[in-house]
Amino acid sequence: MEKQVIVAEMVQSNKSMNQVWFVHVTGTDSPEQQGYCKSAFKAMRLAFVLKQRSGIRIADSSLQLLRQLSQMAKPQVAETEQPAEPLQEEEKPKRRNRRAKKQEAAA
């Protein structure tokens, strides 16, 4: 018997000419143990969900490929320069309650 692993591979979409990720457990046709994803990040997330549900390990080659492609798809965040002087909020007058107003009027 072949050892079961979770594999992610690119396949042709049924509804368009786009490529999608097919994440599945090898050796089974169960719909609970397979799924389709549009991005590498979501395919990696699905692979970890399947791992948690079934206890089957993820293929090293698939995991490495998904990590690389999801890192490439992330937008690079540029370091923003911090302003030299921090912005200060305007001081608001303190709110006074009714008693304070009555006491001022009596005085």
Side-chain angles (χ1 to χ4, degrees):
M1 184 172 145
E2 195 175 303
K3 195 169 189 178
Q4 292 183 333
V5 292
I6 299 171
V7 180
E9 54 193 7
M10 292 287 286
V11 295
Q12 183 73 33
S13 173
N14 291 340
K15 297 182 180 180
S16 67
M17 298 301 292
N18 296 333
Q19 295 283 324
V20 294
W21 289 97
F22 177 51
V23 182
H24 62 98
V25 176
T26 58
T28 63
D29 292 332
S30 174
E32 290 87 24
Q33 295 184 345
Q34 65 184 7
Y36 294 91
C37 301
K38 289 183 180 180
S39 68
F41 179 75
K42 290 187 179 187
M44 184 169 51
R45 203 167 65 182
L46 178 61
F48 279 106
V49 168
L50 289 175
K51 178 182 178 181
Q52 186 178 19
R53 284 185 197 165
S54 64
I56 299 171
R57 72 176 189 85
I58 302 171
D60 293 333
S61 59
S62 294
L63 186 60
Q64 184 179 16
L65 178 64
L66 289 172
R67 281 184 181 163
Q68 287 177 350
L69 293 175
S70 65
Q71 288 294 326
M72 288 174 51
K74 278 187 183 177
Q76 297 294 328
V77 178
E79 293 182 23
T80 58
E81 295 180 19
Q82 295 181 354
E85 298 177 16
L87 299 175
Q88 296 179 357
E89 294 182 18
E90 295 179 16
E91 292 184 22
K92 297 180 181 177
K94 293 183 180 179
R95 295 183 74 185
R96 299 187 305 189
N97 58 19
R98 285 183 157 183
R99 287 188 188 176
K101 289 180 184 178
K102 287 181 180 179
Q103 288 174 357
E104 285 180 10

XYZ file of all heavy atoms in Angstrom:
852
model
N 0.831 -1.184 0.000
C 0.000 0.000 0.000
C 0.874 1.246 0.000
O 1.876 1.329 0.694
C -0.909 0.003 1.241
C -1.872 1.149 1.257
S -3.020 0.919 2.612
C -3.229 2.601 3.064
N 0.479 2.176 -0.793
C 1.208 3.433 -0.934
C 0.937 4.320 0.275
O -0.182 4.406 0.756
C 0.729 4.119 -2.211
C 1.616 5.222 -2.678
C 1.124 5.765 -4.003
O 1.007 4.985 -4.962
O 0.838 6.967 -4.042
N 1.972 4.990 0.755
C 1.802 5.884 1.891
C 1.066 7.139 1.445
O 1.385 7.716 0.415
C 3.165 6.247 2.468
C 3.083 6.854 3.827
C 4.447 6.945 4.444
C 4.305 7.347 5.891
N 5.593 7.409 6.548
N 0.079 7.569 2.215
C -0.718 8.730 1.853
C -0.014 10.016 2.288
O 0.507 10.098 3.392
C -2.094 8.669 2.519
C -2.972 7.575 1.991
C -4.347 7.611 2.646
O -4.489 8.078 3.765
N -5.333 7.087 1.943
N -0.026 10.997 1.395
C 0.493 12.324 1.678
C -0.445 13.348 1.055
O -1.209 13.043 0.147
C 1.934 12.541 1.141
C 2.932 11.697 1.879
C 2.000 12.294 -0.338
N -0.358 14.580 1.549
C -1.137 15.678 0.992
C -0.290 16.357 -0.074
O 0.846 16.740 0.176
C -1.536 16.679 2.094
C -2.410 15.973 3.140
C -2.259 17.866 1.505
C -2.676 16.788 4.379
N -0.859 16.503 -1.269
C -0.146 17.040 -2.409
C -0.914 18.226 -2.969
O -2.141 18.225 -3.004
C 0.007 15.957 -3.508
C 0.742 16.505 -4.709
C 0.711 14.749 -2.966
N -0.189 19.244 -3.421
C -0.790 20.399 -4.101
C -0.172 20.495 -5.486
O 1.050 20.436 -5.636
C -0.532 21.678 -3.318
N -1.031 20.617 -6.499
C -0.539 20.708 -7.866
C -1.414 21.651 -8.682
O -2.581 21.851 -8.362
C -0.488 19.327 -8.512
C -1.795 18.581 -8.454
C -1.678 17.114 -8.807
O -0.554 16.613 -8.987
O -2.722 16.469 -8.910
N -0.824 22.229 -9.730
C -1.558 23.134 -10.617
C -2.318 22.307 -11.642
O -1.767 21.395 -12.243
C -0.607 24.077 -11.341
C 0.089 25.087 -10.464
S -0.968 26.392 -9.901
C -1.163 27.350 -11.358
N -3.611 22.654 -11.832
C -4.441 21.982 -12.829
C -5.233 23.023 -13.600
O -5.387 24.160 -13.158
C -5.399 20.953 -12.177
C -4.634 19.824 -11.545
C -6.314 21.614 -11.177
N -5.779 22.612 -14.726
C -6.610 23.482 -15.547
C -7.993 23.603 -14.916
O -8.591 22.620 -14.527
C -6.740 22.885 -16.956
C -7.503 23.725 -17.925
C -6.715 24.930 -18.367
O -5.509 24.858 -18.471
N -7.388 26.013 -18.626
N -8.500 24.825 -14.824
C -9.833 25.055 -14.284
C -10.872 24.538 -15.271
O -10.687 24.610 -16.487
C -10.045 26.544 -14.029
O -11.374 26.783 -13.659
N -11.981 24.016 -14.758
C -13.049 23.515 -15.623
C -13.806 24.640 -16.301
O -14.301 24.492 -17.399
C -14.042 22.678 -14.820
C -13.433 21.381 -14.365
O -12.444 20.921 -14.909
N -14.019 20.785 -13.350
N -13.924 25.783 -15.630
C -14.782 26.852 -16.115
C -14.057 27.921 -16.917
O -14.696 28.757 -17.535
C -15.493 27.521 -14.931
C -16.413 26.564 -14.206
C -17.133 27.239 -13.095
C -18.051 26.256 -12.372
N -18.762 26.882 -11.291
N -12.731 27.925 -16.902
C -11.996 28.949 -17.642
C -10.651 28.391 -18.067
O -10.329 27.235 -17.810
C -11.803 30.190 -16.769
O -10.937 29.898 -15.700
N -9.867 29.244 -18.679
C -8.532 28.836 -19.136
C -7.478 29.061 -18.056
O -6.294 28.909 -18.302
C -8.155 29.619 -20.400
C -9.081 29.364 -21.571
S -9.158 27.632 -22.057
C -7.519 27.395 -22.690
N -7.895 29.415 -16.845
C -6.966 29.710 -15.760
C -6.461 28.427 -15.104
O -7.114 27.383 -15.133
C -7.642 30.584 -14.698
C -8.029 31.931 -15.245
O -7.415 32.433 -16.171
N -9.055 32.521 -14.670
N -5.319 28.544 -14.477
C -4.752 27.454 -13.699
C -5.153 27.644 -12.241
O -5.156 28.759 -11.732
C -3.226 27.455 -13.809
C -2.697 27.185 -15.199
C -2.775 25.716 -15.553
O -2.585 24.859 -14.708
N -3.071 25.437 -16.806
N -5.509 26.565 -11.551
C -5.861 26.612 -10.134
C -5.066 25.533 -9.402
O -4.495 24.631 -10.019
C -7.386 26.400 -9.907
C -8.182 27.553 -10.476
C -7.846 25.089 -10.488
N -5.039 25.644 -8.077
C -4.349 24.658 -7.245
C -5.328 23.568 -6.845
O -6.432 23.845 -6.398
C -3.789 25.319 -5.985
C -2.630 26.202 -6.256
C -2.641 27.554 -6.420
C -1.282 25.790 -6.414
N -1.381 28.009 -6.669
C -0.517 26.949 -6.670
C -0.635 24.565 -6.362
C 0.846 26.909 -6.865
C 0.729 24.528 -6.557
C 1.462 25.689 -6.807
N -4.911 22.311 -6.992
C -5.700 21.157 -6.566
C -4.956 20.521 -5.402
O -3.867 19.984 -5.555
C -5.862 20.171 -7.720
C -6.606 18.921 -7.357
C -7.832 18.977 -6.717
C -6.094 17.681 -7.663
C -8.526 17.823 -6.394
C -6.772 16.522 -7.351
C -7.992 16.591 -6.712
N -5.540 20.619 -4.220
C -4.929 20.066 -3.005
C -5.711 18.813 -2.647
O -6.937 18.860 -2.514
C -4.984 21.086 -1.844
C -4.316 20.525 -0.612
C -4.342 22.392 -2.255
N -5.000 17.689 -2.498
C -5.693 16.425 -2.214
C -4.774 15.453 -1.497
O -3.560 15.630 -1.462
C -6.205 15.801 -3.522
C -5.104 15.451 -4.480
N -4.591 14.197 -4.593
C -4.428 16.216 -5.366
C -3.639 14.179 -5.516
N -3.520 15.410 -5.994
N -5.394 14.410 -0.946
C -4.659 13.323 -0.315
C -4.492 12.236 -1.363
O -5.470 11.829 -2.005
C -5.417 12.777 0.919
C -4.700 11.585 1.513
C -5.596 13.867 1.956
N -3.256 11.775 -1.558
C -3.005 10.763 -2.579
C -3.682 9.450 -2.188
O -3.743 9.070 -1.024
C -1.499 10.515 -2.762
O -0.938 10.120 -1.516
C -0.801 11.740 -3.285
N -4.218 8.766 -3.201
C -4.829 7.462 -2.991
C -6.287 7.498 -2.574
O -6.888 6.455 -2.361
N -6.894 8.681 -2.437
C -8.311 8.751 -2.078
C -9.036 9.664 -3.055
O -8.454 10.586 -3.612
C -8.539 9.295 -0.654
O -8.051 10.623 -0.602
C -7.860 8.450 0.397
N -10.320 9.384 -3.246
C -11.164 10.233 -4.084
C -12.234 10.921 -3.257
O -13.181 11.475 -3.794
C -11.831 9.395 -5.182
C -10.813 8.879 -6.184
O -9.779 9.552 -6.364
O -11.063 7.823 -6.792
N -12.080 10.900 -1.957
C -13.066 11.485 -1.053
C -13.105 13.004 -1.222
O -12.061 13.665 -1.168
C -12.711 11.141 0.390
O -13.558 11.812 1.275
N -14.299 13.591 -1.412
C -14.378 15.051 -1.561
C -14.013 15.799 -0.280
O -13.665 16.977 -0.336
C -15.836 15.310 -1.936
C -16.560 14.047 -1.748
C -15.570 12.946 -1.607
N -14.056 15.133 0.880
C -13.665 15.776 2.129
C -12.157 15.956 2.216
O -11.680 16.750 3.008
C -14.138 14.971 3.350
C -15.627 14.976 3.560
C -16.321 13.869 2.782
O -15.669 12.847 2.464
O -17.514 14.024 2.488
N -11.419 15.206 1.412
C -9.965 15.256 1.470
C -9.353 15.863 0.217
O -8.252 15.522 -0.179
C -9.404 13.857 1.717
C -9.793 13.318 3.064
C -9.162 11.974 3.341
O -8.658 11.314 2.449
N -9.186 11.573 4.592
N -10.082 16.795 -0.402
C -9.551 17.488 -1.571
C -10.222 18.843 -1.717
O -11.266 19.087 -1.126
C -9.751 16.670 -2.836
C -11.195 16.467 -3.229
C -11.320 15.558 -4.436
O -10.332 14.995 -4.889
N -12.506 15.421 -4.954
N -9.595 19.725 -2.483
C -10.167 21.045 -2.708
C -9.385 21.809 -3.757
O -8.253 21.459 -4.101
N -10.005 22.856 -4.285
C -9.408 23.714 -5.295
C -9.229 25.114 -4.732
O -10.083 25.603 -4.007
C -10.296 23.777 -6.541
C -10.395 22.457 -7.267
C -11.398 21.551 -6.956
C -9.484 22.115 -8.258
C -11.491 20.343 -7.617
C -9.570 20.913 -8.923
C -10.576 20.024 -8.605
O -10.658 18.832 -9.259
N -8.123 25.768 -5.087
C -7.829 27.116 -4.605
C -7.262 27.948 -5.743
O -6.607 27.425 -6.638
C -6.811 27.078 -3.470
S -7.333 26.106 -2.065
N -7.499 29.268 -5.676
C -7.001 30.171 -6.710
C -5.570 30.621 -6.460
O -4.848 30.939 -7.389
C -7.896 31.406 -6.806
C -9.247 31.121 -7.397
C -10.034 32.392 -7.532
C -11.406 32.155 -8.115
N -12.170 33.394 -8.254
N -5.149 30.701 -5.201
C -3.809 31.215 -4.907
C -2.987 30.183 -4.137
O -3.529 29.265 -3.515
C -3.899 32.501 -4.084
O -4.383 32.225 -2.800
N -1.677 30.360 -4.182
C -0.770 29.443 -3.492
C -0.944 29.546 -1.979
O -0.874 28.540 -1.274
C 0.673 29.741 -3.877
N -1.204 30.747 -1.476
C -1.380 30.924 -0.033
C -2.601 30.156 0.463
O -2.550 29.469 1.478
C -1.512 32.408 0.300
C -1.724 32.676 1.763
C -0.677 32.573 2.655
C -2.980 33.008 2.241
C -0.872 32.802 3.999
C -3.183 33.238 3.585
C -2.124 33.144 4.468
N -3.709 30.255 -0.264
C -4.918 29.549 0.148
C -4.756 28.042 -0.009
O -5.300 27.268 0.780
C -6.117 30.052 -0.637
C -6.487 31.458 -0.225
C -7.748 31.916 -0.862
C -8.057 33.334 -0.377
N -9.342 33.812 -0.820
N -3.987 27.605 -0.997
C -3.715 26.180 -1.161
C -2.889 25.654 0.013
O -3.148 24.551 0.521
C -2.990 25.930 -2.474
N -1.923 26.458 0.469
C -1.118 26.052 1.618
C -1.989 25.987 2.877
O -1.870 25.072 3.679
C 0.047 27.028 1.827
C 0.989 26.619 2.934
S 2.529 27.549 3.005
C 1.999 29.218 2.970
N -2.890 26.946 3.018
C -3.800 26.957 4.155
C -4.700 25.727 4.137
O -4.919 25.084 5.170
C -4.618 28.238 4.113
C -5.184 28.652 5.429
C -5.691 30.051 5.394
N -6.813 30.198 4.484
C -7.435 31.322 4.231
N -7.035 32.437 4.805
N -8.447 31.378 3.403
N -5.220 25.363 2.961
C -6.053 24.168 2.831
C -5.263 22.906 3.146
O -5.778 21.982 3.777
C -6.656 24.087 1.430
C -7.512 22.855 1.141
C -8.715 22.794 2.068
C -7.948 22.846 -0.304
N -4.005 22.866 2.732
C -3.164 21.704 3.022
C -2.996 21.524 4.528
O -3.066 20.396 5.038
C -1.800 21.860 2.345
N -2.830 22.611 5.261
C -2.695 22.501 6.711
C -4.019 22.123 7.374
O -4.032 21.407 8.380
C -2.136 23.793 7.308
C -0.647 23.891 7.181
C -0.072 24.748 6.263
C 0.188 23.123 7.968
C 1.301 24.837 6.138
C 1.562 23.195 7.860
C 2.117 24.054 6.931
N -5.134 22.568 6.809
C -6.442 22.156 7.336
C -6.637 20.656 7.136
O -7.083 19.943 8.046
C -7.584 22.958 6.662
C -8.930 22.347 6.967
C -7.551 24.404 7.118
N -6.278 20.152 5.942
C -6.381 18.715 5.685
C -5.454 17.923 6.608
O -5.818 16.837 7.071
C -6.048 18.405 4.227
C -7.079 18.836 3.188
C -6.556 18.576 1.784
C -8.400 18.129 3.405
N -4.278 18.467 6.866
C -3.338 17.801 7.780
C -3.932 17.705 9.174
O -3.843 16.668 9.829
C -2.016 18.565 7.826
C -1.015 17.983 8.784
C 0.249 18.791 8.820
C 1.207 18.206 9.835
N 2.446 18.971 9.912
N -4.577 18.778 9.623
C -5.166 18.786 10.959
C -6.340 17.811 11.040
O -6.507 17.114 12.032
C -5.619 20.185 11.316
C -6.119 20.325 12.732
C -6.517 21.748 13.061
O -6.752 22.556 12.177
N -6.592 22.047 14.338
N -7.154 17.763 9.993
C -8.310 16.861 9.988
C -7.922 15.396 9.942
O -8.482 14.568 10.649
C -9.191 17.136 8.763
C -10.027 18.349 8.863
C -10.919 18.407 7.637
N -11.480 19.727 7.457
C -12.047 20.146 6.349
N -12.139 19.338 5.308
N -12.524 21.360 6.259
N -6.954 15.066 9.062
C -6.655 13.657 8.809
C -5.409 13.137 9.511
O -5.259 11.926 9.668
C -6.507 13.439 7.302
O -5.407 14.176 6.813
N -4.504 14.017 9.894
C -3.264 13.573 10.529
C -2.221 13.110 9.528
O -1.181 12.582 9.904
N -2.478 13.295 8.242
C -1.552 12.892 7.185
C -0.586 14.046 6.924
O -0.968 15.210 6.942
C -2.338 12.536 5.909
C -3.282 11.374 6.196
C -1.399 12.192 4.771
C -4.258 11.084 5.083
N 0.669 13.714 6.650
C 1.675 14.757 6.452
C 1.576 15.364 5.060
O 1.061 14.754 4.123
C 3.076 14.228 6.710
C 3.598 13.293 5.658
C 5.044 12.885 5.962
N 5.608 12.171 4.841
C 6.179 12.747 3.793
N 6.276 14.039 3.724
N 6.665 12.021 2.808
N 2.112 16.586 4.916
C 2.136 17.300 3.642
C 3.443 16.963 2.940
O 4.505 16.934 3.568
C 2.038 18.823 3.872
C 0.763 19.161 4.637
C 2.082 19.572 2.558
C 0.682 20.594 5.095
N 3.382 16.718 1.646
C 4.584 16.407 0.864
C 5.546 17.590 0.927
O 5.140 18.743 0.765
C 4.216 16.101 -0.577
N 6.818 17.296 1.176
C 7.826 18.351 1.327
C 7.954 19.207 0.074
O 8.079 20.429 0.152
C 9.187 17.738 1.677
C 9.187 17.092 3.054
O 8.392 17.532 3.915
O 9.982 16.152 3.263
N 7.913 18.580 -1.086
C 8.066 19.337 -2.335
C 6.893 20.287 -2.547
O 7.085 21.425 -2.983
C 8.199 18.387 -3.520
O 7.050 17.556 -3.600
N 5.689 19.840 -2.228
C 4.507 20.694 -2.381
C 4.561 21.866 -1.410
O 4.274 23.007 -1.783
C 3.225 19.907 -2.138
O 3.046 18.939 -3.131
N 4.936 21.589 -0.172
C 4.994 22.640 0.839
C 6.050 23.687 0.490
O 5.801 24.888 0.598
C 5.279 22.033 2.215
C 5.226 22.971 3.396
C 3.844 23.612 3.521
C 5.575 22.243 4.672
N 7.190 23.241 0.020
C 8.258 24.170 -0.358
C 7.823 25.034 -1.540
O 8.042 26.255 -1.544
C 9.525 23.395 -0.703
C 10.711 24.269 -1.001
C 11.944 23.451 -1.310
O 11.865 22.259 -1.595
N 13.100 24.094 -1.257
N 7.185 24.444 -2.543
C 6.721 25.194 -3.707
C 5.659 26.218 -3.316
O 5.697 27.370 -3.744
C 6.170 24.234 -4.761
C 5.598 24.867 -6.021
C 6.691 25.602 -6.785
C 4.939 23.822 -6.883
N 4.714 25.814 -2.466
C 3.660 26.726 -2.028
C 4.228 27.892 -1.229
O 3.790 29.031 -1.385
C 2.614 25.979 -1.198
C 1.726 25.014 -1.976
C 0.883 24.192 -1.011
C 0.851 25.756 -2.954
N 5.202 27.631 -0.377
C 5.829 28.705 0.403
C 6.523 29.713 -0.504
O 6.389 30.921 -0.323
C 6.839 28.127 1.390
C 6.209 27.554 2.616
C 7.248 27.090 3.587
N 6.607 26.513 4.765
C 7.211 25.748 5.640
N 8.484 25.457 5.496
N 6.557 25.273 6.680
N 7.263 29.219 -1.478
C 7.975 30.117 -2.389
C 7.004 30.976 -3.181
O 7.193 32.185 -3.306
C 8.853 29.319 -3.345
C 10.086 28.737 -2.714
C 10.877 27.887 -3.682
O 10.405 27.577 -4.778
N 12.075 27.500 -3.287
N 5.966 30.365 -3.731
C 5.030 31.110 -4.560
C 4.175 32.075 -3.746
O 3.828 33.148 -4.227
C 4.150 30.147 -5.351
C 4.895 29.341 -6.409
C 3.969 28.342 -7.057
C 5.512 30.253 -7.444
N 3.844 31.721 -2.515
C 3.058 32.643 -1.698
C 3.912 33.830 -1.248
O 3.403 34.944 -1.129
C 2.443 31.935 -0.492
O 3.448 31.486 0.387
N 5.207 33.624 -1.031
C 6.101 34.727 -0.680
C 6.291 35.667 -1.867
O 6.376 36.875 -1.703
C 7.470 34.212 -0.221
C 7.456 33.554 1.127
C 7.129 34.538 2.227
O 7.487 35.700 2.165
N 6.436 34.068 3.238
N 6.321 35.120 -3.077
C 6.482 35.948 -4.269
C 5.225 36.773 -4.521
O 5.313 37.890 -5.024
C 6.771 35.071 -5.488
C 8.149 34.483 -5.479
S 8.450 33.325 -6.823
C 7.933 34.234 -8.248
N 4.073 36.252 -4.166
C 2.814 36.943 -4.418
C 2.551 38.060 -3.419
O 1.775 38.962 -3.694
C 1.662 35.955 -4.387
N 3.195 38.010 -2.247
C 2.993 39.051 -1.239
C 3.586 40.359 -1.726
O 4.707 40.386 -2.238
C 3.687 38.695 0.076
C 2.923 37.776 0.955
C 3.640 37.656 2.279
C 2.961 36.686 3.197
N 3.722 36.543 4.430
N 2.871 41.468 -1.577
C 3.457 42.763 -1.938
C 4.535 43.129 -0.930
O 4.375 42.931 0.270
C 2.283 43.728 -1.874
C 1.300 43.075 -0.982
C 1.512 41.586 -1.124
N 5.622 43.644 -1.437
C 6.719 44.048 -0.573
C 6.350 45.351 0.123
O 6.033 46.342 -0.532
C 8.007 44.230 -1.380
C 8.479 42.950 -2.033
C 8.892 41.913 -1.016
O 9.391 42.255 0.055
N 8.673 40.653 -1.333
N 6.378 45.346 1.436
C 6.030 46.531 2.210
C 7.272 47.393 2.364
O 8.288 46.949 2.897
C 5.482 46.128 3.601
C 5.163 47.352 4.422
C 4.275 45.232 3.445
N 7.193 48.612 1.858
C 8.324 49.531 1.973
C 8.333 50.137 3.365
O 7.292 50.397 3.956
C 8.214 50.630 0.922
N 9.527 50.348 3.873
C 9.632 50.968 5.188
C 9.255 52.435 5.063
O 9.800 53.160 4.241
C 11.050 50.834 5.727
C 11.439 49.406 6.033
C 12.835 49.334 6.608
O 13.298 50.360 7.168
O 13.447 48.287 6.502
N 8.321 52.840 5.873
C 7.880 54.235 5.823
C 8.710 55.049 6.788
O 9.096 54.585 7.856
C 6.395 54.352 6.197
O 6.216 53.805 7.506
C 5.526 53.588 5.213
N 8.971 56.268 6.380
C 9.732 57.161 7.243
C 8.809 57.721 8.307
O 7.696 58.131 8.030
C 10.328 58.296 6.422
C 11.353 57.842 5.427
C 11.918 59.006 4.647
O 11.782 60.150 5.116
O 12.488 58.766 3.594
N 9.297 57.744 9.530
C 8.500 58.296 10.611
C 8.712 59.804 10.660
O 9.818 60.283 10.424
C 8.901 57.678 11.940
C 8.589 56.195 12.008
C 8.987 55.613 13.345
O 9.581 56.288 14.161
N 8.662 54.365 13.552
N 7.658 60.565 10.949
C 7.819 62.014 11.024
C 8.770 62.373 12.157
O 8.849 61.711 13.182
C 6.411 62.533 11.291
C 5.632 61.362 11.766
C 6.300 60.136 11.222
N 9.523 63.477 11.960
C 10.512 63.905 12.944
C 9.842 64.278 14.266
O 10.328 63.939 15.336
C 11.315 65.077 12.408
N 8.724 64.977 14.192
C 8.021 65.369 15.404
C 6.696 64.608 15.477
O 5.934 64.616 14.525
C 7.736 66.873 15.378
C 8.975 67.714 15.350
C 8.637 69.189 15.239
O 7.472 69.557 15.490
O 9.525 69.958 14.892
N 6.437 63.977 16.595
C 5.162 63.264 16.699
C 3.996 64.257 16.706
O 4.114 65.371 17.221
C 5.258 62.513 18.023
C 6.333 63.195 18.776
C 7.253 63.827 17.766
N 2.914 63.851 16.105
C 1.745 64.720 16.053
C 1.128 64.833 17.444
O 0.955 63.843 18.138
C 0.712 64.147 15.077
C 1.176 64.012 13.629
C 0.104 63.326 12.814
C 1.471 65.384 13.059
N 0.809 66.058 17.835
C 0.213 66.275 19.146
C -1.255 66.608 18.971
O -1.631 67.376 18.095
C 0.916 67.419 19.866
C 2.361 67.110 20.175
C 3.019 68.294 20.876
O 2.403 69.321 21.072
N 4.281 68.128 21.228
N -2.055 66.024 19.822
C -3.485 66.297 19.766
C -3.771 67.620 20.464
O -3.104 67.987 21.431
C -4.260 65.175 20.452
C -4.149 63.848 19.740
C -4.979 62.790 20.430
O -5.881 63.143 21.213
O -4.722 61.617 20.177
N -4.769 68.297 19.956
C -5.156 69.541 20.589
C -5.786 69.228 21.938
O -6.527 68.273 22.082
C -6.173 70.278 19.710
C -5.608 70.723 18.388
C -6.665 71.420 17.565
O -7.709 71.825 18.119
O -6.456 71.551 16.358
N -5.468 70.077 22.910
C -6.033 69.859 24.231
C -7.471 70.361 24.250
O -7.767 71.479 23.850
C -5.206 70.593 25.287
C -3.824 69.996 25.452
C -3.064 70.697 26.575
O -3.706 71.303 27.442
O -1.844 70.622 26.551
N -8.340 69.500 24.728
C -9.748 69.859 24.809
C -10.036 70.367 26.215
O -9.423 69.901 27.184
C -10.620 68.639 24.524
C -10.445 68.103 23.124
C -11.311 66.903 22.899
C -11.116 66.354 21.503
N -11.902 65.148 21.284
N -10.950 71.313 26.340
C -11.292 71.777 27.687
C -11.960 70.649 28.469
O -12.658 69.804 27.900
C -12.255 72.933 27.435
C -12.762 72.734 26.054
C -11.695 71.999 25.312
N -11.704 70.648 29.759
C -12.274 69.604 30.597
C -13.773 69.769 30.677
O -14.291 70.884 30.747
C -11.678 69.655 31.999
C -10.219 69.297 32.017
C -9.703 69.290 33.421
C -8.243 68.924 33.465
N -7.723 68.934 34.828
N -14.448 68.661 30.700
C -15.906 68.697 30.812
C -16.265 68.862 32.284
O -15.664 68.259 33.167
C -16.499 67.405 30.274
C -16.249 67.246 28.784
C -16.896 66.024 28.275
N -18.328 66.257 28.200
C -19.220 65.355 27.875
N -18.829 64.147 27.603
N -20.508 65.645 27.834
N -17.246 69.686 32.502
C -17.682 69.907 33.877
C -19.075 69.345 34.033
O -19.905 69.427 33.129
C -17.682 71.397 34.207
C -16.281 71.998 34.066
C -16.230 73.388 34.545
N -17.226 74.225 33.873
C -17.274 75.524 33.981
N -16.398 76.158 34.693
N -18.205 76.222 33.368
N -19.336 68.819 35.196
C -20.662 68.260 35.439
C -21.615 69.334 35.975
O -21.240 70.485 36.184
C -20.572 67.075 36.394
C -19.933 67.443 37.716
O -19.866 68.614 38.062
N -19.469 66.448 38.441
N -22.835 68.988 36.218
C -23.859 69.940 36.648
C -23.536 70.559 38.010
O -23.759 71.735 38.234
C -25.218 69.256 36.751
C -25.832 68.991 35.421
C -27.186 68.401 35.638
N -28.013 68.630 34.484
C -29.249 68.282 34.394
N -29.835 67.671 35.407
N -29.946 68.514 33.317
N -23.008 69.762 38.913
C -22.706 70.281 40.252
C -21.677 71.398 40.193
O -21.773 72.378 40.913
C -22.208 69.179 41.166
C -23.290 68.250 41.584
C -22.781 67.315 42.631
N -23.800 66.298 42.875
C -23.656 65.299 43.669
N -22.516 65.127 44.315
N -24.620 64.435 43.844
N -20.686 71.225 39.325
C -19.657 72.262 39.215
C -20.273 73.567 38.726
O -19.922 74.652 39.195
C -18.557 71.801 38.278
N -21.200 73.471 37.803
C -21.857 74.674 37.288
C -22.708 75.339 38.377
O -22.696 76.563 38.540
C -22.740 74.331 36.103
C -21.967 73.966 34.851
C -22.895 73.638 33.713
C -22.128 73.187 32.491
N -23.019 72.815 31.400
N -23.417 74.550 39.184
C -24.246 75.096 40.248
C -23.392 75.753 41.321
O -23.738 76.789 41.856
C -25.124 74.016 40.887
C -26.263 73.583 39.982
C -27.107 72.527 40.676
C -28.250 72.074 39.775
N -29.038 71.044 40.415
N -22.271 75.106 41.629
C -21.398 75.669 42.672
C -20.785 76.983 42.205
O -20.629 77.912 42.987
C -20.290 74.664 43.018
C -20.806 73.474 43.802
C -19.728 72.417 44.013
O -18.618 72.542 43.527
N -20.088 71.377 44.770
N -20.431 77.102 40.936
C -19.894 78.362 40.418
C -20.955 79.464 40.434
O -20.667 80.612 40.748
C -19.368 78.166 38.990
C -18.061 77.431 38.905
C -17.605 77.270 37.468
O -18.209 77.889 36.558
O -16.639 76.529 37.255
N -22.180 79.099 40.112
C -23.271 80.067 40.092
C -23.598 80.546 41.517
O -23.915 81.714 41.739
C -24.527 79.474 39.452
N -23.481 79.673 42.525
C -23.778 80.027 43.909
C -22.661 80.895 44.495
O -22.889 81.713 45.370
C -23.963 78.783 44.752
N -21.453 80.756 44.030
C -20.316 81.491 44.593
C -20.215 82.901 44.136
O -20.805 83.635 43.581
C -19.014 80.792 44.255
